[in-house]
Amino acid sequence: MDDHSDDRGGMRRDAATDSPPTRYDRASVRRPRAAQFAGAATGVGVLGIEICQSVQALDNSVPLVALKPTMVRVYLDETTVAASLRLRGELCLRQSATGPATYLAGINELKLDPADALALDDKRENLKASLNFHLPETALQAGPLIVELNRLIQIGGADQPFTGAAPVAVELIAGPPIRVRCIGLRYIDPQSGGVHVPDAIHFDYFRSYLSRAYPVPAVEWSQIVVDANFAPPFQGATAVLANAQIAAIRNSEINSGTDPRTHYYGLVDDANGQHFMRGRASGIPAGPQPDTVASGPCGIPAGFAGDQDQSYADWYGAHELGHTYGRFHPGFPPGAQDASDPAFPYANGQLSNADRKYVGYDVGDPQLGLEPKVMSGTTHHDVMTYADRQWVSAYTFEAIRQRLADEDAQFAPPVA
């Protein structure tokens, strides 16, 4: 093969061409850039690296589920820079200390300003106050993962040295998907004759919430709509009737070959608030029992429990489904909810105690227009409470993860 490069790395003209030389025939000139380090002598201080799924602590003590969408956040110390600067970051990912490395660019730019310093706890509750990285699926396989900050890149300047960035080693734990069969129950209003059926948006929000909040790599989902065997006015026992119908459907479908690990949930439209059916699970099993069913309402929240999006089917359904995985009520708000789970560890049903150890993370859903966000552990509450602004605490996350694993092992259908 002909070699068209000279010793300086530029392109030579081919002797067979009569074309005059152009600037593309000459080696590009890279002028040295003056160092523009704006930090202290030892470099920009790194305060921590947090590997986040649904909820996490700065010490990365919450277990991580393999193949679940994961964000890495790197926190920097503004007090270690002399002047404002804009930075981007790059991570180094390895499966072992001596294994091959993968390098990952961040998804955002961070302005670091010594005049606008935030405490670390405040940074964790502000998604814009960290360098953020979405881990690729290749880095989310079950097994060890070592995450290290590799570069701090100043926008318009030289790379910045940094200090305090010890590698973080975690273990990604293989886990089963959650298997859900969601059944919309269509009913007729006996007074108006109107037919009420859950809109598609309510199924979508419920499925999305489970994928984002629950400790699972995926949601194996199916849905149908059937005629309900009940009608308004709804009473306290209406959900019992709904669950009996859902259980009968489940028994028939499991006998016909549906995966026995599938949990069944009934969805009942609230007819714009006219016919609200209070949700209920058929039981709270002490051990793996996927034949425990549940049902609940759906509709537009309009501020219900602090919810301002297009459906409350998501957190409401996650609550009732949580019962089918053995989760009880933490007892909050007091007087509004029984305290059937005395072991719940956080004050007031929150995601965290006053130490702000835990922060909730929602990766969002572009298809539903839901942006990624972080949730303060002291202003958001566990999904098993009746309190406002619900998400999954570390306590509930780990308990459901363990129950899913137990059900997967005990009820897996035989391999043909």
Side-chain angles (χ1 to χ4, degrees):
M1 184 175 68
D2 292 335
D3 182 3
H4 293 286
S5 61
D6 62 23
D7 293 338
R8 294 164 297 177
M11 296 299 293
R12 297 188 308 186
R13 292 178 60 215
D14 193 308
T17 181
D18 295 326
S19 302
T22 73
R23 59 178 178 157
Y24 297 106
D25 295 313
R26 299 192 300 271
S28 61
V29 177
R30 181 176 293 277
R31 295 179 175 82
R33 186 186 297 276
Q36 298 185 37
F37 174 51
T42 53
V44 179
V46 178
L47 299 172
I49 298 175
E50 189 172 6
I51 305 173
C52 317
Q53 291 184 340
S54 300
V55 61
Q56 192 53 277
L58 188 61
D59 61 3
N60 296 294
S61 56
V62 178
L64 297 167
V65 176
L67 298 177
K68 183 173 178 63
T70 304
M71 175 186 291
V72 175
R73 302 185 69 193
V74 177
Y75 305 104
L76 304 178
D77 186 355
E78 300 96 334
T79 66
T80 59
V81 300
S84 175
L85 70 162
R86 292 154 48 219
L87 297 170
R88 299 189 72 90
E90 180 181 277
L91 294 180
C92 174
L93 309 173
R94 288 187 173 90
Q95 292 183 316
S96 68
T98 58
T102 298
Y103 298 94
L104 179 67
I107 61 173
N108 69 316
E109 175 185 306
L110 177 65
K111 181 180 179 182
L112 209 60
D113 191 341
D116 191 25
L118 291 175
L120 181 55
D121 284 337
D122 294 328
K123 292 178 187 291
R124 296 183 64 225
E125 295 175 1
N126 181 355
L127 197 59
K128 297 180 180 180
S130 58
L131 288 171
N132 304 321
F133 306 79
H134 284 317
L135 292 186
E137 186 173 307
T138 52
L140 295 174
Q141 305 302 309
L145 176 67
I146 300 173
V147 179
E148 186 174 6
L149 182 62
N150 187 59
R151 294 175 65 195
L152 282 182
I153 306 157
Q154 183 180 355
I155 307 301
D159 282 12
Q160 295 287 301
F162 51 88
T163 184
V168 173
V170 295
E171 185 82 12
L172 290 157
I173 303 170
I178 187 172
R179 301 170 175 89
V180 177
R181 176 81 156 153
C182 191
I183 300 176
L185 295 170
R186 178 175 48 227
Y187 63 89
I188 298 175
D189 187 326
Q191 292 186 339
S192 67
V195 178
H196 300 287
V197 60
D199 290 335
I201 192 71
H202 303 304
F203 291 97
D204 292 344
Y205 264 74
F206 183 27
R207 181 182 67 245
S208 176
Y209 189 97
L210 294 175
S211 70
R212 286 150 37 220
Y214 265 44
V216 294
V219 178
E220 290 189 4
W221 175 274
S222 64
Q223 64 188 59
I224 56 171
V225 173
V226 301
D227 290 327
N229 59 11
F230 55 86
F234 295 156
Q235 307 294 331
T238 301
V240 176
L241 299 176
N243 286 339
Q245 183 175 0
I246 296 301
I249 294 172
R250 185 186 189 279
N251 289 339
S252 175
E253 293 186 348
I254 295 298
N255 290 335
S256 298
T258 295
D259 192 315
R261 294 167 292 186
T262 305
H263 284 238
Y264 277 57
Y265 185 79
L267 203 58
V268 180
D269 187 71
D270 71 4
N272 293 321
Q274 298 178 57
H275 301 301
F276 180 85
M277 186 199 78
R278 184 168 183 173
R280 186 185 183 103
S282 64
I284 305 178
Q289 195 172 325
D291 61 350
T292 307
V293 302
S295 298
C298 64
I300 300 171
F304 177 31
D307 191 353
Q308 299 292 343
D309 57 31
Q310 299 181 62
S311 177
Y312 63 78
D314 48 9
W315 53 266
Y316 204 119
H319 174 107
E320 299 301 341
L321 202 63
H323 286 315
T324 72
Y325 289 103
R327 308 318 307 146
F328 287 84
H329 291 150
F332 299 95
Q337 185 186 61
D338 64 282
S340 50
D341 186 359
F344 188 80
Y346 315 121
N348 305 314
Q350 299 166 178
L351 302 185
S352 180
N353 288 319
D355 58 7
R356 300 166 76 181
K357 177 177 180 179
Y358 298 102
V359 172
Y361 292 95
D362 184 349
V363 298
D365 187 333
Q367 292 186 335
L368 296 177
L370 300 175
E371 297 290 335
K373 64 180 179 179
V374 296
M375 289 163 280
S376 164
T378 56
T379 61
H380 289 74
H381 303 87
D382 187 83
V383 74
M384 298 311 300
T385 69
Y386 290 165
D388 289 354
R389 298 177 298 279
Q390 293 185 12
W391 193 245
V392 175
S393 70
Y395 173 79
T396 297
F397 184 91
E398 177 59 8
I400 292 178
R401 188 186 71 82
Q402 290 287 352
R403 178 60 63 87
L404 278 162
D406 292 344
E407 286 190 359
D408 196 61
Q410 185 170 333
F411 292 94
V415 178

